[in-house]
């Protein structure tokens, strides 16, 4: 539980600190509770039933609504960290009770302290308004999505539900939600199809200082908005906040697989977006001024760009210079139900053509930025080929331990390769599929990942380090980005682990540094004439996309 007390109420032997550690300096609040949780997990305290400490609240330390919101967000973060530790699994049954008690304690604290200390303030302190704009079509878990909005601990919200192609059932859920929700709820209809049009429609009605985009199939964790608003309020030079996310795969209304992706602050957000280090759109919170500026750039005005609309939005934001801030523990759930949800019925050829046009737009906006800000690496990705390619008829010859030669079988062309480059060519041999270089890079990294797992007998640890060696990256800049559940799985049967790997879509933000290294090699093969460009016949225009 969390009674309101301070560190001055306890006396701790010095030797105990060597066991449980010191206060966590990374936390922004609730340091005492986090320390107590670690302390009391190692022993039972002795209570002395006497008043030994007096807590004094000073007039220059006024408690605000924002303070308590941040307190609650930090407390829930502490509780989440506590239950992540395997040693604390025995307390899992108490988690709902502890969380409820903590929320109640904060509410009681607010009701007791606010009247006493805030009644003489000449100016009222109000939290910034956040507009949650929900694109509602025939989405599964729509009720869960709305419930996640109700559960936000951030107090000042307006919720705009934009219906497009919705069923009567979803409309009824929206009306019930509006009638039972405190605060402002707007129900509106968008006549144009697609989530992009719905978001534009909702932004025109929004009055918030911050914009939270949300698909009707997805969910926010309770402290997501509170943590990100607090971070942006404290860091005014940032424009967009983002957090971590979990990819939840549902079948028959049950979550069959949950994969957690954790990120960190990046100094080069342009590079991350161009490498397609992907996150779902609702992982972000955007200042209203930033959202309006992006709308002025007509980022969502193409009704044909639906599947990659979030990629276009966030990449353009990075290219034109908006600054991104990572906020720990501000997590969202991205729910996956069926292939139709990701529009895999779209023609792969048509989708690639849209990407080609999208990157031409990126190139245009990149030329408008200061020359020093757009690096050679940026331009490599901005100008990457979006044609379809496959390996030409070639022969790979080994001339030494790390010396190979690739010979074209039909032309007088050849090039020397090292071991890492030869591995990549060997992986291309296994695919007869024509696709973009970006997708080839993803598929090759997936092949290497499974081979590494097979060689290690199902051990999932240190995959990134081994992949780095395989693709020839000398100094990787990122840590192991394998999914949390797989990385923590330890030794499993090889077939089970490979099945989990196959279940992860190719577009997942995994091993992006290694994918970039493969992409460089593929482009080198392309310019040397070792890849053949494939033109899809009209009969293939309507084929389904490869699994992503």
């Amino acid at each position: 539980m969390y009674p309101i007390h301070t560190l001055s109420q306890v006396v701790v032997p010095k030797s105990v600190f060597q066991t449980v550690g010191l206060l966590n300096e990374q936390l922004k609040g609730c340091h005492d509770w986090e320390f107590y949780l670690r302390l009391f997990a190692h022993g039972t305290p002795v209570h002395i039933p006497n008043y030994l400490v007096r807590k004094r609240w000073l007039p220059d330390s006024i408690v605000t609504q924002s303070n308590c919101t941040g307190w609650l967000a930090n407390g829930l973060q502490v509780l989440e960290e506590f239950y992540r530790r395997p040693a604390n699994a025995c307390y899992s049954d108490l988690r709902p009770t502890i969380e409820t008690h903590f929320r109640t304690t904060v509410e009681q604290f607010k009701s007791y302290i606010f009247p006493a200390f805030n009644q003489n303030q000449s100016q009222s302190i109000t939290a910034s308004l956040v507009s949650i704009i929900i694109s509602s079509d025939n989405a599964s878990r729509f009720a869960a999505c709305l419930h996640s909005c109700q559960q936000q601990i951030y107090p000042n919200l307006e919720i705009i539900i934009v219906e497009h192609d919705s069923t009567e059932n979803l409309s009824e859920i929206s009306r019930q939600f509006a009638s039972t929700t405190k605060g402002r709820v707007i129900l509106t209809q968008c006549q144009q199809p697609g989530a992009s049009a719905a978001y534009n429609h909702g932004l025109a009605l929004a009055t918030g200082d911050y914009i939270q985009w949300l698909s009707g199939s997805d969910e926010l964790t309770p402290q997501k908005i509170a943590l990100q608003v607090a971070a942006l309020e404290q860091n005014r030079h940032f424009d967009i906040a983002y957090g971590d996310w979990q990819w939840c795969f549902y079948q028959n209304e049950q979550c069959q697989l949950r994969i957690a992706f954790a990120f960190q602050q990046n100094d080069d957000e342009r590079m991350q977006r161009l490498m397609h280090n992907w996150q779902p759109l609702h992982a972000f919170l955007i200042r209203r001024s930033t959202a309006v500026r992006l709308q002025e750039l007509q980022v969502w005005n193409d009704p044909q760009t639906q599947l990659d609309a979030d990629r276009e939005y966030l990449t353009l934001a990075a290219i034109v210079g908006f600054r991104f801030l990572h906020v720990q523990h501000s997590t969202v759930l991205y729910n996956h139900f069926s292939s139709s949800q990701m529009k895999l019925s779209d023609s792969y050829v048509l989708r690639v053509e849209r990407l080609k046009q999208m990157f031409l737009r990126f190139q245009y906006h990149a030329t408008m930025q200061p020359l020093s800000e757009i690096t050679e690496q940026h331009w490599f990705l901005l100008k990457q080929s979006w044609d379809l390619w496959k390996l030409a008829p070639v022969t790979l010859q080994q001339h030494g331990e790390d010396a190979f030669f690739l010979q074209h079988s039909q032309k007088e062309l050849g090039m020397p390769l090292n071991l890492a480059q030869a591995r990549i060519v060997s992986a291309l041999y296994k695919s007869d599929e024509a696709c973009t270089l970006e997708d080839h890079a993803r598929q090759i990294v997936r092949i290497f990942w499974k081979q590494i797992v097979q060689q290690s007998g199902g051990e999932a640890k240190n995959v990134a380090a081994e992949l780095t060696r395989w693709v020839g990256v000398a100094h990787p800049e990122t840590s192991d980005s394998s999914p949390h559940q797989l990385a923590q799985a330890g030794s499993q049967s090889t077939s089970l682990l490979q099945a989990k790997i196959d279940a992860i879509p190719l577009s997942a933000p995994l091993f992006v540094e290694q994918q970039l290294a493969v992409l460089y090699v593929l482009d080198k093969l392309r310019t040397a004439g070792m890849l053949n460009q494939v033109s899809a016949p009209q009969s293939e225009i309507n084929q389904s996309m490869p699994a992503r």
Side-chain angles (χ1 to χ4, degrees):
M1 303 302 181
Y2 187 77
I4 298 175
H5 53 198
T6 65
L7 287 171
S8 57
Q9 291 178 256
V10 297
V11 176
V12 182
K14 184 177 180 180
S15 59
V16 173
F17 287 98
Q18 297 176 349
T19 302
V20 302
L22 303 176
L23 295 178
N24 186 349
E25 298 180 11
Q26 302 300 317
L27 294 175
K28 296 181 180 179
C30 295
H31 306 77
D32 49 358
W33 189 28
E34 194 275 337
F35 177 72
Y36 289 143
L37 287 172
R38 286 187 282 120
L39 180 65
F40 297 155
H42 286 77
T44 304
V46 176
H47 176 242
I48 300 176
N50 292 306
Y51 290 103
L52 303 178
V53 177
R54 176 178 295 172
K55 175 68 177 177
R56 176 177 296 170
W57 293 92
L58 300 177
D60 58 351
S61 299
I62 299 301
V63 179
T64 68
Q65 179 87 4
S66 180
N67 294 153
C68 286
T69 299
W71 183 21
L72 180 55
N74 287 319
L76 292 174
Q77 172 187 338
V78 166
L79 191 62
E80 179 69 24
E81 290 293 332
F82 178 79
Y83 280 104
R84 283 183 180 179
R85 303 185 189 112
N88 300 328
C90 57
Y91 303 109
S92 58
D93 292 343
L94 295 175
R95 180 170 184 173
T97 303
I98 294 174
E99 184 171 326
T100 299
H101 176 80
F102 180 66
R103 289 177 181 273
T104 303
T105 299
V106 173
E107 290 302 319
Q108 291 175 344
F109 183 76
K110 286 159 59 177
S111 64
Y112 296 152
I113 298 297
F114 280 177
F117 284 97
N118 293 347
Q119 59 184 355
N120 295 324
Q121 293 298 296
S122 58
Q123 294 181 343
S124 61
I125 302 175
T126 58
S128 298
L129 178 65
V130 176
S131 299
I132 304 178
I133 301 176
I134 304 175
S135 167
S136 162
D137 52 16
N138 295 321
S140 301
R141 293 190 64 80
F142 182 54
C145 168
L146 297 181
H147 180 70
S148 77
C149 297
Q150 282 182 322
Q151 291 298 301
Q152 291 301 301
I153 63 174
Y154 190 77
N156 199 14
L157 303 172
E158 70 173 5
I159 300 173
I160 303 171
I161 303 175
V162 184
E163 296 187 353
H164 59 102
D165 303 322
S166 299
T167 63
E168 181 60 31
N169 182 45
L170 260 67
S171 298
E172 179 59 29
I173 293 174
S174 298
R175 288 191 290 269
Q176 290 180 1
F177 174 80
S179 65
T180 57
T181 300
K182 296 180 181 179
R184 188 183 188 205
V185 178
I186 299 174
L187 305 182
T188 182
Q189 292 276 347
C190 178
Q191 301 303 319
Q192 294 179 281
S196 299
Y199 288 145
N200 282 334
H201 183 87
L203 183 60
L205 301 174
T207 60
D209 304 289
Y210 296 95
I211 303 299
Q212 171 66 66
W213 308 117
L214 182 60
S215 166
S217 349
D218 300 323
E219 300 168 63
L220 312 171
T221 55
Q223 64 270 33
K224 190 268 186 190
I225 291 178
L227 288 173
Q228 292 187 347
V229 168
L232 288 174
E233 293 282 294
Q234 294 168 14
N235 299 274
R236 294 284 181 172
H237 56 294
F238 285 95
D239 309 291
I240 301 172
Y242 67 97
D244 304 329
W245 61 288
Q246 297 179 14
W247 204 329
C248 306
F249 294 82
Y250 280 83
Q251 187 174 7
N252 300 324
E253 303 299 323
Q254 296 295 320
C255 183
Q256 304 295 327
L257 178 65
R258 186 185 296 261
I259 307 170
F261 296 92
F263 290 80
Q264 59 189 9
Q265 184 67 31
N266 284 295
D267 295 331
D268 190 349
E269 199 63 39
R270 288 187 179 97
M271 197 66 189
Q272 296 301 314
R273 298 298 146 202
L274 288 169
M275 289 194 301
H276 200 25
N277 197 0
W278 185 76
Q279 295 148 280
L281 190 62
H282 63 301
F284 298 79
L285 184 73
I286 303 175
R287 295 189 191 276
R288 177 185 177 83
S289 58
T290 302
V292 170
R293 175 59 181 146
L294 287 170
Q295 189 180 49
E296 291 172 350
L297 293 175
Q298 300 184 338
V299 66
W300 274 340
N301 279 18
D302 184 359
Q304 298 299 320
T305 307
Q306 295 299 328
L307 183 58
D308 292 289
D310 51 356
R311 180 177 188 176
E312 179 184 26
Y313 190 87
L314 297 167
T315 304
L316 187 58
I319 288 174
V320 300
F322 288 119
R323 300 196 62 186
F324 291 67
L325 175 65
H326 178 253
V327 182
Q328 287 188 327
H329 309 295
S330 56
T331 307
V332 300
L333 306 183
Y334 179 69
N335 297 321
H336 176 88
F337 301 93
S338 65
S339 59
S340 61
Q341 180 187 357
M342 300 184 73
K343 296 182 176 62
L344 297 187
S345 59
D346 284 358
S347 161
Y348 181 65
V349 175
L350 291 179
R351 177 176 174 268
V352 167
E353 183 61 30
R354 294 169 194 164
L355 282 169
K356 183 184 297 185
Q357 298 304 315
M358 186 189 302
F359 269 70
L360 287 175
R361 291 190 63 202
F362 294 161
Q363 291 177 34
Y364 168 77
H365 287 286
T367 62
M368 309 298 289
Q369 308 310 308
L371 290 176
S372 60
E373 293 186 6
I374 308 299
T375 68
E376 185 177 342
Q377 272 196 322
H378 296 149
W379 279 115
F380 170 77
L381 291 172
L382 282 164
K383 295 183 176 181
Q384 65 182 291
S385 171
W386 291 104
D387 294 318
L388 305 183
W389 301 91
K390 62 189 301 185
L391 187 64
V394 295
T395 302
L396 182 63
Q397 305 166 358
Q398 184 169 3
H399 293 165
E401 184 177 347
D402 191 33
F404 296 80
F405 193 83
L406 189 64
Q407 180 67 52
H408 200 293
S409 301
Q410 299 175 351
K411 300 178 181 179
E412 294 295 325
L413 298 175
M415 60 186 298
L417 303 177
N418 59 31
L419 178 58
Q421 294 167 339
R423 283 198 188 100
I424 292 170
V425 171
S426 297
L428 278 175
Y429 271 117
K430 299 179 180 180
S431 174
D432 193 43
E433 190 175 72
C435 59
T436 64
L437 298 185
E438 181 182 74
D439 282 340
H440 273 306
R442 290 170 175 166
Q443 292 168 358
I444 288 170
V445 168
R446 179 68 57 91
I447 290 171
F448 288 171
W449 185 7
K450 294 173 69 174
Q451 289 176 348
I452 291 169
V453 167
Q454 185 174 18
Q455 291 181 9
S456 64
E459 185 66 33
K461 297 179 180 178
N462 301 320
V463 172
E466 189 65 10
L467 266 174
T468 295
R469 185 180 67 84
W470 277 41
V471 302
V473 179
H475 301 288
E477 298 179 359
T478 58
S479 59
D480 192 334
S481 58
S482 57
H484 176 73
Q485 281 77 356
L486 296 184
Q488 299 296 323
S491 181
Q492 303 183 34
S493 71
T494 301
S495 58
L496 176 60
L497 192 50
Q498 289 186 337
K500 288 185 176 181
I501 293 172
D502 285 334
I504 302 172
L506 281 176
S507 57
L510 298 171
F511 312 121
V512 290
E513 291 287 344
Q514 292 82 355
Q515 288 181 14
L516 179 60
V518 174
L519 186 61
Y520 274 117
V521 174
L522 293 175
D523 193 66
K524 185 177 180 180
L525 294 172
R526 177 187 67 85
T527 56
M530 299 300 171
L531 301 181
N532 284 343
Q533 183 177 346
V534 177
S535 299
Q538 189 64 36
S539 60
E540 295 183 16
I541 292 296
N542 296 320
Q543 70 180 6
S544 297
M545 285 175 51
R548 303 187 63 81

